[in-house]
């Protein structure tokens, strides 16, 4: 598969995530769109790692897994982010009975 197709798919996923973050007011939907953008970047890391390996730059048996290792660590950090983010959303719902992010602006005053 050509690298351009991976790039187009990642750009589409990232743009969908940006539109979701900017257009939605529900905290859970915004959170999911941020994760979608993170997965688009992960797709590009793996695709470019594969392209780098196919190009013949590295000839070792472990070549081509560098991007996958970065993606693994990014996914570990994303799992921690999900647990903290969902805990914040649950506490926000318990206090305000809403997950609308516009309500948080009213809490400033």
């Amino acid at each position: 598969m050509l690298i351009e197709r991976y790039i187009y798919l990642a750009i589409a996923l990232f743009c969908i995530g940006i539109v979701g973050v900017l257009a939605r007011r529900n905290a859970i939907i915004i959170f999911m769109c941020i994760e979608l953008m993170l997965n688009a970047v992960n797709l590009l890391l793996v695709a470019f790692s594969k392209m780098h390996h196919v190009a013949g730059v590295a000839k070792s048996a472990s070549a081509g897994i560098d991007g996958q290792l970065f993606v693994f660590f990014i996914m570990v950090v994303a799992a921690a982010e999900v647990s903290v983010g969902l805990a914040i959303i649950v506490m926000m719902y318990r206090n305000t009975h809403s997950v609308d992010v516009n309500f948080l602006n009213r809490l400033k005053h």
Side-chain angles (χ1 to χ4, degrees):
M1 202 165 154
L2 296 175
I3 192 72
E4 289 84 14
R5 293 186 182 177
Y6 290 114
I7 294 172
Y8 295 143
L9 178 62
I11 289 171
L13 289 174
F14 198 82
C15 289
I16 291 170
I18 288 175
V19 168
V21 167
L22 295 177
R24 299 294 181 156
R25 293 295 120 210
N26 189 341
I28 295 174
I29 300 296
I30 291 172
F31 196 61
M32 287 177 18
C33 289
I34 290 171
E35 292 297 323
L36 187 66
M37 291 188 301
L38 189 62
N39 284 330
V41 173
N42 287 342
L43 176 66
L44 280 179
L45 278 172
V46 172
F48 284 129
S49 176
K50 178 184 173 190
M51 183 187 73
H52 181 70
H53 176 64
V54 170
V57 174
K59 299 290 184 189
S60 67
S62 65
I65 63 168
D66 297 335
Q68 294 174 8
L69 288 174
F70 281 121
V71 168
F72 176 74
F73 288 120
I74 290 171
M75 290 177 76
V76 168
V77 171
E81 172 195 349
V82 166
S83 63
V84 171
L86 286 177
I88 291 170
I89 291 171
V90 167
M91 291 305 295
M92 184 177 79
Y93 182 76
R94 282 184 185 171
N95 292 333
T96 63
H97 298 291
S98 174
V99 289
D100 187 19
V101 292
N102 287 332
F103 188 75
L104 293 177
N105 288 332
R106 288 182 253 154
L107 294 177
K108 292 180 188 177
H109 303 291

